[in-house]
Amino acid sequence: MKADIRVAWILARATGPRERWRTSLTALGALSATGFALAAITVAAIPGQVSIPYAHGLLDRPGERAGIALSLVLLLIPVLAFLGQCARIGAVHRDRRTAGMRLAGATARQVRRIAGAESALVCLAGSVTGFGVFTVLLAVTGHTPRPLAWAAFGAVVILVPLLAAAVSVLALRRVISSPLGHFRRTAPGRGRGRVLGFLLAALLIATAALLVLLPRGGGAALVPLLVLVLVLLTGAGALWTVGASAALIGRKLTHRAKHPAVLIAAARLAHDPWAAARTHAALLLVTVVGVAFTGVRGVLLAELTGRQYPPGNLAFYTTGIDLAGAAVLIALAISLCGLAVGAAESVATRRSGLAAQAAAGVPHRVLAMATLLETALPLAPALLLAGAGGAVVYLAYAAVVGNGFVPLLPLLVPFAVHVACLLAAATSLPLLRRVSNPAELRFT
């Protein structure tokens, strides 16, 4: 193990120009995770009833502070997914070095362990930087946490790199490196996917029906639990939809496609239909939450402003809503960054095939369109399902409030997310132009 860490330290220091952006993104992800965790601990460590001159009194009471701390912790989910994407693309760029390790006698498990240790070292630099920035912010605001909070801060600085290493190893569990520098991904097992899809659909429909009918029958106390279950089931169902639709679209369009870009994208989807699911997991969950939040926000604001006697401190409610919306937007931005990194990883993985296609005469415009279609085709039905799950949540909330106002703006959220996903995938097109150069065939 010591030898693996020593090799990982050498690799982390000997970063070439082509990999500096990857290590920078990994360190940025660790810095974000550390910042969110430290902020959650700081908010949760404030004792009792206090008066804080920020956020219009939203931080004064323990109940509201607990909700803010929970929101900050939930932001760690897209950050960890982003770190997993960085680990995958890192494995591709280090193929020649890991091939040398295999020729020197290292096993595939050791290669993955060294990659995880290298990610942990890079994340340690990011977490230490995040801790330093957060300490400066505490000094500027004049807030002094208790000693127990400082101990928790130190634990976070250590746990974030360890958690990032675990995520990296998990992300690379299906990557197998050969001594000749070739990387392949083993396909996940099949056979139970259709049964899982039917089971998720049945649970989703049952939960949605209970959520709509329970408020009328007096079981409103179960509504928060049902909302959480519905969001998780919708995210899981949307994730399954990405893989299932990618496999179906790939099979159908491979035999029926007339445009070359559609044919190339369909062949890629049929070859590895669950690659998109790995990339879009956090994004789909954020879409469910985003649709639900947008609808609940519209209903709540209509209820507050439509009362005969509106609340005296309306800024208290609007500040809380705005902070929740900011958290959703931050999670969406991090998820889109993960999608962009995943698209770049997909292009870099297929650089030899892309160079061969370009050498055979395939125009760059066709390859770029195929890259975008590979993201757009399987993501569209999954985003529709995610939007439907979020719509059920805010429609149920509108039924509980009973003010008769049902906003339609949330229904546009899945389409806006789909456009944002295409823009994020388009960031890999400059890399596509570079790796599809026929001169790359000399190095494969």
Side-chain angles (χ1 to χ4, degrees):
M1 188 64 183
K2 292 182 179 179
D4 295 341
I5 296 177
R6 191 182 306 114
V7 173
W9 171 248
I10 295 174
L11 295 179
R13 290 189 303 169
T15 302
R18 291 188 176 184
E19 298 182 16
R20 287 175 185 168
W21 66 274
R22 177 192 62 83
T23 55
S24 299
L25 288 175
T26 303
L28 180 62
L31 189 151
S32 302
T34 303
F36 293 144
L38 294 180
I41 293 173
T42 303
V43 173
I46 299 175
Q49 183 83 14
V50 295
S51 178
I52 299 177
Y54 299 106
H56 297 280
L58 194 64
L59 298 172
D60 292 349
R61 289 186 290 272
E64 287 80 8
R65 290 199 299 269
I68 293 175
L70 179 61
S71 300
L72 291 170
V73 171
L74 291 178
L75 288 176
L76 294 176
I77 297 176
V79 174
L80 293 177
F82 175 74
L83 290 175
Q85 294 297 333
C86 292
R88 290 192 187 102
I89 198 169
V92 174
H93 282 290
R94 290 170 293 187
D95 56 354
R96 293 183 178 89
R97 294 183 302 185
T98 52
M101 297 178 203
R102 295 300 309 277
L103 289 173
T107 63
R109 179 175 298 180
Q110 285 179 306
V111 169
R112 287 191 286 263
R113 190 163 57 232
I114 291 172
E118 183 181 355
S119 298
L121 292 174
V122 175
C123 289
L124 180 62
S127 63
V128 171
T129 303
F131 176 73
V133 173
F134 192 79
T135 303
V136 172
L137 291 177
L138 289 178
V140 170
T141 57
H143 178 68
T144 304
R146 294 182 294 178
L148 184 60
W150 284 105
F153 292 165
V156 166
V157 174
I158 301 300
L159 287 177
V160 167
L162 295 178
L163 192 58
V167 172
S168 299
V169 173
L170 181 64
L172 299 175
R173 71 189 185 282
R174 297 189 183 278
V175 177
I176 298 178
S177 55
S178 72
L180 299 179
H182 173 67
F183 273 76
R184 65 182 177 89
R185 298 191 188 279
T186 59
R190 301 178 182 177
R192 295 191 292 269
R194 186 171 299 178
V195 177
L196 178 61
F198 285 125
L199 180 61
L200 285 174
L203 291 175
L204 189 60
I205 294 173
T207 306
L210 287 174
L211 185 60
V212 173
L213 296 177
L214 266 181
R216 301 174 184 176
L222 296 177
V223 169
L225 179 61
L226 288 176
V227 168
L228 178 61
V229 173
L230 180 64
V231 169
L232 294 178
L233 285 177
T234 305
L239 184 62
W240 178 87
T241 303
V242 171
S245 61
L248 179 62
I249 292 172
R251 288 197 307 268
K252 297 297 183 182
L253 292 183
T254 300
H255 301 289
R256 301 178 183 179
K258 297 181 180 180
H259 195 279
V262 178
L263 180 61
I264 294 174
R268 292 174 184 171
L269 293 176
H271 177 69
D272 190 4
W274 293 101
R278 293 190 295 265
T279 305
H280 302 153
L283 181 67
L284 294 172
L285 188 60
V286 172
T287 303
V288 179
V289 176
V291 173
F293 168 78
T294 307
V296 170
R297 178 183 182 275
V299 174
L300 180 59
L301 289 179
E303 172 66 17
L304 292 175
T305 57
R307 291 178 180 178
Q308 185 177 2
Y309 301 100
N313 188 12
L314 186 61
F316 172 82
Y317 298 95
T318 56
T319 301
I321 295 173
D322 293 340
L323 286 177
V328 174
L329 290 177
I330 291 173
L332 178 62
I334 295 173
S335 301
L336 289 175
C337 290
L339 189 148
V341 172
E345 182 263 347
S346 179
V347 170
T349 302
R350 299 190 305 264
R351 63 190 183 277
S352 58
L354 291 170
Q357 288 174 337
V362 180
H364 175 76
R365 175 178 55 83
V366 173
L367 295 177
M369 186 181 299
T371 302
L372 296 180
L373 287 175
E374 189 180 355
T375 298
L377 291 177
L379 195 59
L383 286 176
L384 290 178
L385 177 60
V392 171
V393 173
Y394 85 79
L395 288 176
Y397 179 77
V400 173
V401 174
N403 58 2
F405 177 73
V406 179
L408 298 179
L409 182 62
L411 300 180
L412 299 178
V413 171
F415 300 97
V417 172
H418 194 261
V419 173
C421 291
L422 292 181
L423 294 177
T427 58
S428 64
L429 296 184
L431 177 63
L432 174 65
R433 180 174 293 277
R434 189 178 68 186
V435 302
S436 61
N437 191 331
E440 289 289 327
L441 292 174
R442 294 180 300 176
F443 307 103
T444 57

